[in-house]
């Protein structure tokens, strides 16, 4: 188990150093669209907070800039204004 954790840390460090990694969202498996949206919003806010804490300031890759813009927009979703139909649930 410790060996697996050490490998995870090594891979994560290498990915962060290159800033070339994919993101896999680890959200709870829940059928309620509002719960899913709430968890996604919290994930986005946490991701942005982590970037801020890591003092990530300059990004030059247009895909990374676009992704960061979308994550920022998602982090500001107001659940009270979320329009959900029965089909979405």
């Amino acid at each position: 188990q410790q060996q697996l954790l050490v490998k995870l840390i090594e891979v994560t460090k290498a990915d962060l150093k290159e800033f070339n990694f994919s993101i896999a969202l680890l959200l709870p498996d829940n059928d309620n669209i509002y719960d899913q949206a709430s968890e996604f919003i919290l994930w986005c806010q946490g991701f942005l907070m982590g970037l801020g804490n890591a003092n990530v300031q300059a990004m030059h890759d247009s895909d990374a800039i676009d992704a960061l813009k979308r994550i920022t927009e998602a982090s500001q979703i107001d659940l009270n204004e979320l329009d959900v139909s029965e089909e979405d649930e």
Side-chain angles (χ1 to χ4, degrees):
Q1 200 174 34
Q2 183 178 0
Q3 197 174 26
L4 181 61
L5 184 57
V6 169
K7 181 67 175 169
L8 177 63
I9 291 169
E10 290 171 358
V11 169
T12 302
K13 281 183 181 181
D15 286 346
L16 289 173
K17 191 178 265 187
E18 295 176 22
F19 209 75
N20 183 19
F21 57 94
S22 61
I23 296 173
L25 299 180
L26 300 176
L27 299 175
D29 187 22
N30 187 329
D31 290 337
N32 184 305
I33 193 77
Y34 290 101
D35 289 345
Q36 290 175 353
S38 177
E39 293 299 323
F40 178 66
I41 292 166
L42 290 172
W43 184 93
C44 292
Q45 291 170 346
F47 182 83
L48 294 171
M49 187 181 304
L51 285 180
N53 288 340
N55 204 19
V56 175
Q57 296 177 1
M59 281 193 233
H60 304 289
D61 181 76
S62 62
D63 289 338
I65 292 169
D66 184 52
L68 188 58
K69 179 181 175 186
R70 290 172 187 245
I71 292 170
T72 301
E73 290 170 356
S75 74
Q76 298 169 351
I77 292 172
D78 183 354
L79 288 177
N80 295 321
E81 294 180 13
L82 197 60
D83 185 23
V84 178
S85 68
E86 286 185 26
E87 289 178 12
D88 295 328
E89 292 186 32

